[in-house]
Amino acid sequence: MNNLLVLPLLIPLCTAVLLVFLKERIIIQRWISAISSLLNVAVAGLILYQVKTDGIQTLYMSGWVPPYGIVFVADMLAAVLVLTTAIIGSFCLFYSFRSIDTERERHYYYPLFQFLLVGVSGSFLTGDIFNLFVCFEVMLISSYALIVLGGTRLQLRESLKYILINILSSALFVAAVAYLYGVTGALNMADLAVKVAEAGQGGVLNVIAMLFMIVFALKAGLFLFFWLPGSYSAPPTAITAIFGALLTKVGLYALLRTFTLIFYHDQHITHSWIGWMAGATMVLGAIGALAYKDIPRILNYNVIISVGFIAFGLAAANKDAFDGAVFYLLHDMVAKALLFILGGIIIAKAGSNKLEDMGGLIKRYPYLGWMFFVTALAIAGIPPLSGFAGKLMIIRGGIAAEKYVLVAISLASSFIVLYSLIRIFMAAFFGEERSVQNHSGEGGKLPQAEDQVKVRQAGITGLLLPGAGLLAIVIFMGIGAEWIYSFVQVAGNTLFDPTIYIDAVLKE
Amino acid sequence: MELYMSLAIGVLFTVGVYLILSKSLLRIILGTSFLTHGVHLLLLTMSRLKTGAAPLLGEKAESYVDPLPQALILTSIVISFGVTSFFFVLAYKAYQKLGTDDMEQLRGKEDE
C-alpha cells in the first residue's frame, strides 16, 4: 500500500478543476499549471525511486483487496512511463505558453491539457482492465476537445474522423471486456492473468486476445493507422506534440501489458500476428514518410514507423527485445515530442508546411537547424544518441527470435526515417532563402499558418528553450544509456516474467 | 435467453456498422449509438441471464443477479452519452462551417 501512487492522477485532476474557474486569468492559469506539472514530475520521480528500491508498489482503492477493488500498480514499466509523461507534459506545457494563441488559452486549453495527463497517467498505473477503459476515455475525450479547439475548417473536418474511429474502438474495447468477463469472470489484470493461465489460452481466449489486439492497434496506430496522418496534422503543434508523444504510446503500453501479462500462452498465434502487423506498419509508414512533401505528414508517418518498431520488440518476445522495446518507447516519447515542437517552429518561421516553399532558414535560425539535425540523428538511431541502444536491443532480440525478415524491415526503416528527416533538414535550412512575409498573407492557403501567428511573432529563444530541454534529455539518454538501462532492465524482467507482477498484486 | 439476446445484439451491430459506413454524418452518429447499445446489451448478456433478485440487499432473496456488469454498463452509458453529445455538437458546428454533412465531400484536400 502506497498512497503516493494516486498523486500522478490527483495532481493534474485537481489542477484542471481549479483552472476551470479561472477562465479569463490566463497568467494565473499558466502559473498554476506550470507549478502543478513540476510537482507532478517530482512525485513521479519519487515513485520511480521507491519502485527502484522497494520493488513493485501497489495501492488498493479504499482498502478493497484485489480482485474485488480497483488496484493501482506501479511496476518499473509504469513508473518510468509516468515519469516520462510528466516530463514531456511539462515541456509541452512550456512550449504552449509561447505558441498557443490567447483565444485558445481562454477557452480552457490548460484544463483540457491537464485532463489529458490524468488519462495518460491513469492508463499507465491502473491494474484493472475496465478502469483502463475509463482512463482511455478520459484521455480520449480531452483529446477530442483539444484536437478541435479553435475550430478551423481543417480541425473540424479531421476531428470528425478521429472521434468516429475512437468511438468505434472504444465500443470494441467494451465488447472485448464483456467477452473476457464472460469467460473468466474477472476484471483485475493480475487475477485475469491467473485465470487465463488456469483455463489454458486457446479457442475462445485467443479470439478475445485478437479482439484486444485490434482495439489497441487502433489506438496505437499499429497497422490500423489510417486515421492518424490526417488527424494529427489538424491541431496546433503544441497539441500534436503531446498527441504524438503520448496517445499512441498508451495504446502500445496496453498492448505490451496485455500481451505479456494475460495473453502470452499462445505466442505462435498472437505474437506472430503482432509481428506481421509491426512489419506492415513499418513498411507502410516508410512509404508515407517518403511520399509526402509537407512537414506534418512526414512527422506523422515517422510516429507510425516507430509504433511498428516497438511492436516488433513485443513480437520478438525475449528478454533483449522487451528491454529494447521499453528503452525505445521511452526514447521515442521524448524524441517525438521534440521533433513535433521543432517541426512546428520550422513551419511557423517558414510560413508554410510545404518543403518546396521553404529554404535557407539556417542563416537566421542556426540553433533551430542544428537541434533539428541532432534530433533526426537520434530518431534514426545514430550511436551516441538515445535511439541507438533501444534499436540495438530490439534487433538483437529479433535475431535471437529468428525473425530475420522483420529485422531487415526495421533496419531498412531506420534508413528511411533518417532520409525523410534529413530531407526536411536540407529543404528547410539550406538552399536559397525565401521571403517569409510573402507567405504569411495567404491565410486560406495555409491552414497551419493561420493557427501559428503567435509562434511566428514569438522570439526564437523562448520557443527553443523547451526543445533544448528535451534535446538535453535525448542526449543524456544516449550517453547515460547504461544508467537508464538499470531501470529498463527491471521493467523488462516484469514483462518477461509475469509472475513478478501477479505476486506483487495478489500477495496480501 | 442468451441466444435471443445474442441475436438481438448481432442485429444491433449489423445495423450500427451499416449506418457507420453510410455517407451522411447523422446516420453515422446514429450508427455509433446502435453500436454502443449493442455493446451494453452484450455486457449484460455476458454475465449470464440467470433469474435472481435485483442486486439490493433489502430484497433478502436466495440469489441475486450479478451486480458487476450493471456497474460497468452504467459507467459505459454515461461515457458514451458524453461522447455522443460532443459528437452531435461537433457535427452541427461542422455543418455550419463546412456547409455539408456528406462524408465524401469532407475528405477533400483543398484545405491542406
Coordinates of all heavy atoms in Angstrom, one line a residue, chain A residues 351-439:
Chain A
G351 N 6.6 29.9 -42.6 CA 5.3 30.4 -43.1 C 4.6 29.4 -44.0 O 3.6 29.8 -44.7
S352 N 5.1 28.2 -44.1 CA 4.4 27.2 -44.9 C 4.8 25.8 -44.4 O 5.8 25.7 -43.7 CB 4.9 27.3 -46.3 OG 4.5 26.2 -47.1
N353 N 3.9 24.8 -44.7 CA 4.3 23.5 -44.3 C 4.8 22.6 -45.5 O 5.1 21.5 -45.3 CB 3.2 22.8 -43.5 CG 1.9 22.8 -44.3 OD1 1.9 22.9 -45.5 ND2 0.8 22.7 -43.6
K354 N 4.9 23.3 -46.6 CA 5.4 22.5 -47.8 C 6.9 22.7 -47.9 O 7.4 23.8 -47.8 CB 4.7 23.1 -49.1 CG 3.2 23.0 -49.1 CD 2.8 21.8 -49.8 CE 1.3 21.7 -49.9 NZ 0.6 21.5 -48.6
L355 N 7.5 21.6 -48.2 CA 9.0 21.6 -48.3 C 9.5 22.6 -49.4 O 10.5 23.2 -49.3 CB 9.6 20.2 -48.6 CG 9.5 19.3 -47.4 CD1 10.2 17.9 -47.7 CD2 10.2 19.8 -46.2
E356 N 8.7 22.6 -50.5 CA 9.2 23.4 -51.7 C 9.1 24.9 -51.4 O 9.7 25.7 -52.1 CB 8.5 23.0 -53.0 CG 7.0 23.2 -53.0 CD 6.3 22.0 -52.7 OE1 6.8 21.1 -52.0 OE2 5.1 21.9 -53.2
D357 N 8.3 25.3 -50.4 CA 8.1 26.7 -50.1 C 9.2 27.3 -49.2 O 9.1 28.4 -48.8 CB 6.7 27.0 -49.5 CG 5.7 26.8 -50.6 OD1 6.0 26.7 -51.7 OD2 4.5 26.7 -50.2
M358 N 10.0 26.4 -48.6 CA 10.9 26.9 -47.6 C 12.4 26.7 -48.0 O 12.7 26.0 -49.0 CB 10.7 26.2 -46.3 CG 10.5 24.8 -46.3 SD 10.2 24.1 -44.7 CE 8.4 24.4 -44.4
G359 N 13.3 27.3 -47.3 CA 14.7 27.2 -47.6 C 15.5 28.3 -47.0 O 15.0 29.3 -46.6
G360 N 16.8 28.0 -46.7 CA 17.7 29.0 -46.2 C 17.5 29.4 -44.8 O 17.9 30.5 -44.4
L361 N 16.7 28.6 -44.0 CA 16.5 29.1 -42.6 C 17.7 29.1 -41.8 O 17.8 29.7 -40.7 CB 15.4 28.2 -42.0 CG 14.0 28.4 -42.5 CD1 13.1 27.3 -41.8 CD2 13.5 29.7 -42.1
I362 N 18.8 28.3 -42.2 CA 19.9 28.2 -41.3 C 20.6 29.5 -41.1 O 21.2 29.7 -40.0 CB 20.9 27.2 -42.0 CG1 21.9 26.6 -40.9 CG2 21.7 27.8 -43.1 CD1 21.5 25.5 -40.1
K363 N 20.5 30.5 -42.0 CA 21.2 31.7 -41.8 C 20.6 32.5 -40.6 O 21.3 33.1 -39.9 CB 21.0 32.6 -43.1 CG 21.8 32.0 -44.2 CD 22.0 33.0 -45.3 CE 22.6 32.4 -46.5 NZ 21.6 31.9 -47.4
R364 N 19.2 32.4 -40.5 CA 18.6 33.2 -39.5 C 18.4 32.4 -38.2 O 18.4 32.9 -37.1 CB 17.2 33.7 -40.0 CG 17.4 35.0 -40.7 CD 16.1 35.6 -41.1 NE 15.4 34.7 -42.0 CZ 14.1 34.5 -42.1 NH1 13.3 35.2 -41.2 NH2 13.5 33.7 -43.0
Y365 N 18.2 31.1 -38.3 CA 18.0 30.2 -37.1 C 18.9 29.1 -37.0 O 18.5 27.9 -37.2 CB 16.5 29.7 -37.2 CG 15.5 30.8 -37.4 CD1 14.8 30.8 -38.6 CD2 15.2 31.7 -36.4 CE1 13.9 31.8 -38.8 CE2 14.3 32.7 -36.6 CZ 13.6 32.7 -37.8 OH 12.7 33.7 -38.0
P366 N 20.2 29.4 -36.8 CA 21.2 28.3 -36.8 C 20.9 27.2 -35.7 O 21.1 26.0 -35.9 CB 22.5 29.0 -36.6 CG 22.2 30.3 -36.0 CD 20.9 30.7 -36.5
Y367 N 20.5 27.7 -34.5 CA 20.3 26.8 -33.4 C 19.2 25.8 -33.7 O 19.3 24.6 -33.5 CB 20.1 27.5 -32.1 CG 21.3 28.2 -31.6 CD1 21.3 29.6 -31.5 CD2 22.4 27.5 -31.2 CE1 22.4 30.3 -31.0 CE2 23.5 28.2 -30.7 CZ 23.5 29.6 -30.6 OH 24.6 30.2 -30.2
L368 N 18.1 26.4 -34.2 CA 17.0 25.5 -34.6 C 17.4 24.5 -35.6 O 17.1 23.3 -35.5 CB 15.9 26.4 -35.3 CG 14.7 25.7 -35.8 CD1 13.9 25.0 -34.7 CD2 13.8 26.7 -36.5
G369 N 18.2 24.9 -36.6 CA 18.7 23.9 -37.6 C 19.5 22.8 -37.0 O 19.2 21.6 -37.3
W370 N 20.4 23.1 -36.2 CA 21.3 22.1 -35.7 C 20.6 21.2 -34.7 O 20.9 20.0 -34.6 CB 22.6 22.6 -35.2 CG 23.4 23.2 -36.3 CD1 23.7 24.5 -36.5 CD2 23.9 22.6 -37.5 NE1 24.4 24.7 -37.7 CE2 24.5 23.5 -38.3 CE3 23.9 21.2 -37.9 CZ2 25.1 23.2 -39.5 CZ3 24.4 20.9 -39.1 CH2 25.0 21.9 -39.9
M371 N 19.7 21.8 -33.9 CA 18.9 21.0 -33.0 C 18.0 20.0 -33.8 O 17.9 18.8 -33.4 CB 18.0 21.9 -32.1 CG 18.6 22.5 -30.9 SD 17.7 23.8 -30.2 CE 16.3 22.8 -29.5
F372 N 17.4 20.4 -34.9 CA 16.6 19.5 -35.7 C 17.5 18.4 -36.2 O 17.1 17.2 -36.3 CB 16.0 20.3 -36.8 CG 15.0 19.4 -37.6 CD1 13.7 19.3 -37.1 CD2 15.4 18.8 -38.7 CE1 12.8 18.5 -37.8 CE2 14.5 18.0 -39.4 CZ 13.2 17.9 -39.0
F373 N 18.7 18.8 -36.6 CA 19.7 17.8 -37.2 C 20.0 16.7 -36.2 O 19.9 15.5 -36.4 CB 20.9 18.5 -37.6 CG 22.0 17.6 -38.3 CD1 21.7 17.0 -39.5 CD2 23.2 17.4 -37.7 CE1 22.6 16.2 -40.1 CE2 24.1 16.5 -38.2 CZ 23.8 15.9 -39.5
V374 N 20.3 17.1 -34.9 CA 20.7 16.2 -33.9 C 19.5 15.3 -33.6 O 19.6 14.1 -33.4 CB 21.2 16.9 -32.6 CG1 21.4 15.9 -31.5 CG2 22.4 17.7 -32.9
T375 N 18.3 15.9 -33.5 CA 17.0 15.1 -33.3 C 16.8 14.0 -34.3 O 16.5 12.9 -34.0 CB 15.8 16.0 -33.2 OG1 16.1 17.2 -32.4 CG2 14.6 15.3 -32.7
A376 N 17.1 14.5 -35.6 CA 16.9 13.5 -36.7 C 17.9 12.3 -36.5 O 17.5 11.2 -36.7 CB 17.1 14.2 -38.0
L377 N 19.1 12.6 -36.1 CA 20.1 11.5 -35.9 C 19.6 10.7 -34.8 O 19.8 9.4 -34.8 CB 21.5 12.1 -35.6 CG 22.1 12.9 -36.8 CD1 23.6 13.2 -36.4 CD2 22.1 12.1 -38.1
A378 N 19.1 11.3 -33.7 CA 18.7 10.5 -32.5 C 17.6 9.5 -32.9 O 17.6 8.4 -32.5 CB 18.3 11.4 -31.4
I379 N 16.6 10.0 -33.7 CA 15.5 9.2 -34.0 C 15.9 8.1 -35.0 O 15.4 6.9 -34.9 CB 14.3 10.1 -34.6 CG1 13.8 10.9 -33.5 CG2 13.3 9.2 -35.2 CD1 12.7 11.9 -33.9
A380 N 16.8 8.4 -35.9 CA 17.3 7.3 -36.7 C 18.1 6.3 -36.0 O 18.2 5.1 -36.4 CB 18.1 7.9 -37.9
G381 N 18.7 6.7 -34.8 CA 19.5 5.7 -34.0 C 20.9 5.7 -34.3 O 21.6 4.7 -34.4
I382 N 21.5 6.9 -34.4 CA 23.0 7.1 -34.6 C 23.6 6.9 -33.2 O 23.1 7.5 -32.2 CB 23.3 8.4 -35.2 CG1 22.5 8.6 -36.5 CG2 24.8 8.6 -35.4 CD1 22.9 7.7 -37.6
P383 N 24.7 6.1 -33.0 CA 25.2 5.6 -31.7 C 25.3 6.6 -30.5 O 24.7 6.2 -29.5 CB 26.5 5.1 -32.1 CG 26.3 4.5 -33.4 CD 25.4 5.4 -34.1
P384 N 25.9 7.8 -30.5 CA 25.9 8.4 -29.2 C 24.6 8.9 -28.7 O 24.5 9.2 -27.5 CB 26.9 9.5 -29.4 CG 26.8 9.8 -30.9 CD 26.5 8.6 -31.6
L385 N 23.5 8.8 -29.5 CA 22.3 9.4 -29.1 C 21.3 8.3 -28.6 O 21.6 7.1 -28.7 CB 21.7 10.2 -30.3 CG 22.6 11.4 -30.6 CD1 22.3 11.9 -32.0 CD2 22.4 12.5 -29.6
S386 N 20.1 8.8 -28.2 CA 19.2 7.9 -27.4 C 18.6 6.8 -28.2 O 18.2 5.8 -27.6 CB 18.1 8.7 -26.7 OG 17.4 9.3 -27.7
G387 N 18.4 7.0 -29.5 CA 17.7 5.9 -30.3 C 18.5 4.7 -30.5 O 17.9 3.6 -30.8
F388 N 19.8 4.7 -30.3 CA 20.6 3.6 -30.7 C 20.4 2.4 -29.8 O 20.2 1.3 -30.3 CB 22.1 4.1 -30.6 CG 23.0 3.0 -30.9 CD1 23.1 2.4 -32.2 CD2 23.9 2.5 -29.9 CE1 24.0 1.4 -32.5 CE2 24.8 1.5 -30.2 CZ 24.8 0.9 -31.5
A389 N 20.5 2.6 -28.4 CA 20.5 1.4 -27.5 C 19.3 0.6 -27.7 O 19.3 -0.6 -27.8 CB 20.7 1.9 -26.1
G390 N 18.1 1.3 -27.8 CA 16.8 0.6 -27.9 C 16.8 -0.2 -29.2 O 16.4 -1.4 -29.2
K391 N 17.2 0.5 -30.3 CA 17.1 -0.2 -31.6 C 18.1 -1.5 -31.5 O 17.7 -2.5 -32.0 CB 17.6 0.7 -32.7 CG 16.4 1.6 -33.1 CD 16.6 2.2 -34.5 CE 15.4 3.0 -34.8 NZ 15.4 3.7 -36.0
L392 N 19.2 -1.3 -31.0 CA 20.2 -2.4 -30.9 C 19.6 -3.6 -30.2 O 19.7 -4.7 -30.7 CB 21.5 -1.9 -30.2 CG 22.6 -3.0 -30.2 CD1 23.2 -3.2 -31.5 CD2 23.7 -2.5 -29.2
M393 N 19.0 -3.3 -29.0 CA 18.5 -4.4 -28.2 C 17.3 -5.1 -28.9 O 17.2 -6.3 -28.9 CB 18.1 -3.9 -26.8 CG 19.2 -3.6 -25.9 SD 18.7 -3.2 -24.3 CE 18.4 -1.5 -24.4
I394 N 16.4 -4.3 -29.5 CA 15.3 -4.9 -30.2 C 15.8 -5.8 -31.4 O 15.3 -6.9 -31.6 CB 14.3 -3.8 -30.8 CG1 13.6 -3.1 -29.6 CG2 13.3 -4.4 -31.7 CD1 12.6 -2.0 -30.1
I395 N 16.8 -5.3 -32.1 CA 17.2 -6.0 -33.3 C 18.0 -7.3 -32.8 O 17.8 -8.4 -33.4 CB 18.1 -5.2 -34.2 CG1 17.2 -4.2 -34.9 CG2 19.0 -6.0 -35.1 CD1 17.8 -3.1 -35.7
R396 N 18.7 -7.2 -31.7 CA 19.4 -8.4 -31.1 C 18.3 -9.4 -30.7 O 18.5 -10.6 -31.0 CB 20.3 -7.9 -29.9 CG 21.5 -8.8 -29.8 CD 22.5 -8.1 -28.9 NE 22.0 -7.8 -27.6 CZ 22.6 -7.2 -26.6 NH1 23.9 -6.8 -26.9 NH2 22.1 -7.0 -25.5
G397 N 17.3 -8.9 -30.0 CA 16.2 -9.8 -29.7 C 15.5 -10.4 -30.9 O 15.2 -11.6 -30.9
G398 N 15.4 -9.6 -31.9 CA 14.7 -10.1 -33.1 C 15.6 -11.2 -33.8 O 15.0 -12.2 -34.3
I399 N 16.9 -11.0 -33.8 CA 17.8 -12.1 -34.4 C 17.7 -13.3 -33.5 O 17.6 -14.4 -34.0 CB 19.2 -11.5 -34.5 CG1 19.3 -10.4 -35.6 CG2 20.2 -12.7 -34.8 CD1 20.6 -9.7 -35.6
A400 N 17.7 -13.1 -32.2 CA 17.6 -14.3 -31.3 C 16.3 -15.1 -31.5 O 16.2 -16.3 -31.4 CB 17.7 -13.9 -29.9
A401 N 15.2 -14.3 -31.8 CA 13.9 -15.0 -32.1 C 13.8 -15.4 -33.5 O 12.7 -15.9 -33.9 CB 12.8 -14.0 -31.7
E402 N 14.8 -15.3 -34.3 CA 14.9 -15.7 -35.7 C 13.8 -15.1 -36.6 O 13.3 -15.7 -37.5 CB 14.8 -17.2 -35.8 CG 16.0 -17.9 -35.1 CD 16.0 -19.4 -35.2 OE1 14.9 -19.9 -35.5 OE2 17.1 -20.0 -35.0
K403 N 13.5 -13.8 -36.3 CA 12.6 -13.1 -37.2 C 13.4 -12.2 -38.1 O 13.4 -11.0 -38.0 CB 11.6 -12.3 -36.3 CG 10.7 -13.1 -35.5 CD 9.7 -12.3 -34.7 CE 8.8 -13.1 -33.8 NZ 7.9 -14.0 -34.5
Y404 N 14.1 -12.9 -39.1 CA 15.0 -12.1 -39.9 C 14.4 -11.1 -40.9 O 14.9 -10.1 -41.1 CB 15.9 -13.1 -40.7 CG 16.7 -14.0 -39.8 CD1 16.5 -15.4 -39.8 CD2 17.6 -13.5 -38.9 CE1 17.2 -16.3 -38.9 CE2 18.3 -14.4 -38.0 CZ 18.1 -15.7 -38.1 OH 18.8 -16.5 -37.2
V405 N 13.2 -11.5 -41.4 CA 12.5 -10.6 -42.3 C 12.2 -9.3 -41.6 O 12.5 -8.2 -42.1 CB 11.2 -11.2 -42.9 CG1 10.5 -10.3 -43.8 CG2 11.6 -12.5 -43.5
L406 N 11.7 -9.4 -40.4 CA 11.3 -8.2 -39.6 C 12.6 -7.4 -39.2 O 12.5 -6.2 -39.2 CB 10.5 -8.6 -38.4 CG 9.1 -9.1 -38.6 CD1 8.5 -9.6 -37.4 CD2 8.3 -7.9 -39.2
V407 N 13.7 -8.1 -38.9 CA 14.9 -7.4 -38.6 C 15.3 -6.6 -39.8 O 15.7 -5.4 -39.7 CB 16.0 -8.4 -38.2 CG1 17.4 -7.7 -38.2 CG2 15.7 -9.0 -36.9
A408 N 15.2 -7.2 -41.0 CA 15.6 -6.5 -42.2 C 14.7 -5.2 -42.5 O 15.2 -4.1 -42.7 CB 15.5 -7.4 -43.4
I409 N 13.4 -5.4 -42.3 CA 12.5 -4.3 -42.5 C 12.8 -3.2 -41.5 O 12.9 -2.0 -41.8 CB 11.0 -4.8 -42.3 CG1 10.6 -5.7 -43.4 CG2 10.1 -3.6 -42.2 CD1 9.2 -6.3 -43.2
S410 N 13.1 -3.6 -40.2 CA 13.3 -2.5 -39.2 C 14.6 -1.8 -39.5 O 14.7 -0.5 -39.3 CB 13.2 -3.1 -37.8 OG 14.1 -4.1 -37.7
L411 N 15.6 -2.5 -40.0 CA 16.9 -1.8 -40.3 C 16.6 -0.8 -41.5 O 17.1 0.3 -41.5 CB 18.0 -2.8 -40.6 CG 18.6 -3.5 -39.4 CD1 19.5 -4.6 -39.8 CD2 19.3 -2.5 -38.5
A412 N 15.9 -1.3 -42.5 CA 15.7 -0.5 -43.6 C 14.8 0.7 -43.3 O 15.1 1.8 -43.8 CB 15.0 -1.3 -44.7
S413 N 13.9 0.5 -42.3 CA 13.0 1.6 -42.0 C 13.8 2.7 -41.3 O 13.5 3.9 -41.4 CB 11.9 1.2 -41.1 OG 12.3 1.0 -39.8
S414 N 14.9 2.3 -40.6 CA 15.8 3.3 -39.9 C 16.4 4.2 -40.9 O 16.5 5.4 -40.7 CB 16.9 2.7 -39.1 OG 16.3 1.8 -38.1
F415 N 16.8 3.6 -42.1 CA 17.4 4.5 -43.1 C 16.4 5.4 -43.7 O 16.7 6.6 -43.9 CB 17.9 3.6 -44.3 CG 19.2 3.0 -44.1 CD1 19.3 1.6 -43.8 CD2 20.4 3.7 -44.0 CE1 20.6 1.0 -43.6 CE2 21.6 3.2 -43.8 CZ 21.7 1.8 -43.6
I416 N 15.1 4.9 -43.8 CA 14.1 5.8 -44.4 C 13.7 6.9 -43.5 O 13.5 8.1 -43.9 CB 12.9 5.0 -44.8 CG1 13.3 4.1 -46.0 CG2 11.7 5.8 -45.2 CD1 12.4 3.0 -46.4
V417 N 13.7 6.6 -42.1 CA 13.5 7.6 -41.1 C 14.5 8.7 -41.3 O 14.2 9.9 -41.3 CB 13.5 7.0 -39.7 CG1 13.6 8.1 -38.7 CG2 12.3 6.2 -39.5
L418 N 15.8 8.3 -41.3 CA 16.9 9.2 -41.5 C 16.7 10.1 -42.7 O 16.8 11.3 -42.7 CB 18.2 8.5 -41.5 CG 19.5 9.4 -41.4 CD1 19.5 10.2 -40.2 CD2 20.7 8.5 -41.6
Y419 N 16.4 9.4 -43.9 CA 16.3 10.1 -45.1 C 15.2 11.1 -45.1 O 15.4 12.3 -45.5 CB 16.1 9.1 -46.3 CG 15.7 9.7 -47.6 CD1 16.7 10.4 -48.3 CD2 14.4 9.7 -48.0 CE1 16.4 11.0 -49.5 CE2 14.1 10.4 -49.2 CZ 15.1 11.0 -49.9 OH 14.8 11.7 -51.1
S420 N 14.0 10.7 -44.5 CA 12.9 11.6 -44.6 C 13.1 12.8 -43.7 O 12.7 13.9 -44.1 CB 11.6 10.9 -44.1 OG 11.7 10.6 -42.8
L421 N 13.8 12.6 -42.6 CA 14.0 13.8 -41.7 C 15.2 14.7 -42.2 O 15.1 15.9 -42.2 CB 14.4 13.3 -40.3 CG 13.2 12.6 -39.6 CD1 13.7 12.1 -38.2 CD2 12.1 13.6 -39.4
I422 N 16.2 14.1 -42.8 CA 17.3 14.9 -43.4 C 16.8 15.6 -44.6 O 17.2 16.7 -44.9 CB 18.5 14.0 -43.7 CG1 19.1 13.4 -42.4 CG2 19.5 14.7 -44.5 CD1 19.7 14.5 -41.5
R423 N 15.8 15.0 -45.3 CA 15.2 15.8 -46.4 C 14.5 17.1 -45.9 O 14.7 18.1 -46.6 CB 14.2 14.9 -47.1 CG 13.9 15.4 -48.5 CD 13.0 14.4 -49.2 NE 11.8 14.2 -48.5 CZ 10.7 13.6 -49.1 NH1 10.7 13.3 -50.4 NH2 9.6 13.4 -48.4
I424 N 13.8 17.0 -44.8 CA 13.3 18.2 -44.2 C 14.4 19.2 -43.9 O 14.3 20.4 -44.2 CB 12.5 17.9 -42.9 CG1 11.3 17.0 -43.2 CG2 12.0 19.2 -42.3 CD1 10.5 16.7 -42.0
F425 N 15.5 18.6 -43.3 CA 16.6 19.5 -42.8 C 17.2 20.2 -44.0 O 17.4 21.4 -44.0 CB 17.6 18.6 -42.1 CG 18.8 19.4 -41.7 CD1 18.8 20.3 -40.7 CD2 20.1 19.1 -42.3 CE1 19.9 21.0 -40.3 CE2 21.2 19.7 -41.9 CZ 21.1 20.7 -40.9
M426 N 17.4 19.4 -45.1 CA 18.1 20.0 -46.3 C 17.1 21.1 -46.9 O 17.6 22.2 -47.3 CB 18.4 19.0 -47.3 CG 19.4 17.9 -46.9 SD 21.0 18.6 -46.4 CE 21.7 18.7 -48.1
A427 N 15.9 20.7 -47.1 CA 15.0 21.6 -47.8 C 14.7 22.9 -47.0 O 14.6 24.0 -47.6 CB 13.6 20.9 -48.1
A428 N 14.6 22.7 -45.7 CA 14.2 23.9 -44.9 C 15.3 24.8 -44.6 O 15.2 26.0 -44.5 CB 13.5 23.5 -43.6
F429 N 16.5 24.2 -44.4 CA 17.6 25.0 -43.8 C 18.6 25.4 -44.8 O 19.3 26.4 -44.7 CB 18.3 24.3 -42.6 CG 17.4 24.2 -41.5 CD1 16.6 23.1 -41.2 CD2 17.3 25.3 -40.6 CE1 15.8 23.1 -40.1 CE2 16.4 25.3 -39.5 CZ 15.7 24.2 -39.3
F430 N 18.8 24.6 -45.9 CA 19.8 25.0 -46.9 C 19.1 25.6 -48.1 O 17.9 25.7 -48.1 CB 20.7 23.8 -47.2 CG 21.5 23.5 -46.1 CD1 21.3 22.3 -45.3 CD2 22.5 24.4 -45.6 CE1 22.1 22.0 -44.2 CE2 23.3 24.1 -44.5 CZ 23.1 22.9 -43.8
G431 N 19.8 25.8 -49.2 CA 19.2 26.4 -50.4 C 19.1 27.9 -50.2 O 19.5 28.5 -49.3
E432 N 18.4 28.4 -51.2 CA 18.2 29.9 -51.2 C 17.2 30.3 -50.2 O 16.2 29.6 -50.0 CB 17.9 30.4 -52.6 CG 16.6 29.8 -53.1 CD 16.3 30.4 -54.5 OE1 16.1 31.6 -54.6 OE2 16.2 29.6 -55.5
E433 N 17.4 31.4 -49.6 CA 16.4 31.9 -48.6 C 15.2 32.5 -49.4 O 15.3 33.1 -50.4 CB 17.1 33.1 -47.8 CG 16.4 33.4 -46.6 CD 17.3 34.2 -45.7 OE1 18.5 34.4 -46.0 OE2 16.7 34.7 -44.7
R434 N 14.0 32.2 -48.8 CA 12.8 32.7 -49.4 C 12.2 33.7 -48.4 O 12.3 33.6 -47.2 CB 11.8 31.6 -49.6 CG 12.3 30.7 -50.8 CD 11.5 29.4 -50.8 NE 12.3 28.4 -51.4 CZ 12.1 28.0 -52.7 NH1 11.1 28.5 -53.4 NH2 12.8 27.0 -53.2
S435 N 11.5 34.6 -49.0 CA 10.9 35.7 -48.2 C 9.7 35.1 -47.5 O 8.7 34.6 -48.1 CB 10.5 36.8 -49.1 OG 9.3 37.4 -48.6
V436 N 9.7 35.1 -46.1 CA 8.7 34.6 -45.3 C 7.4 35.4 -45.3 O 6.3 34.9 -45.4 CB 9.2 34.4 -43.9 CG1 8.1 33.9 -43.0 CG2 10.4 33.5 -43.8
Q437 N 7.6 36.7 -45.4 CA 6.5 37.6 -45.2 C 5.5 37.5 -46.3 O 4.3 37.7 -46.2 CB 7.0 39.1 -45.1 CG 7.3 39.5 -43.7 CD 8.5 38.7 -43.1 OE1 9.4 38.4 -43.8 NE2 8.4 38.5 -41.8
N438 N 6.0 37.1 -47.5 CA 5.1 37.0 -48.7 C 4.0 35.9 -48.4 O 2.9 36.0 -48.8 CB 5.8 36.5 -49.9 CG 6.6 37.7 -50.4 OD1 6.5 38.8 -50.0 ND2 7.5 37.5 -51.4
H439 N 4.4 34.9 -47.7 CA 3.5 33.7 -47.5 C 2.5 34.0 -46.4 O 1.4 33.5 -46.4 CB 4.3 32.5 -47.1 CG 5.1 31.9 -48.2 ND1 4.5 31.3 -49.3 CD2 6.4 31.9 -48.4 CE1 5.4 31.0 -50.1 NE2 6.6 31.3 -49.6

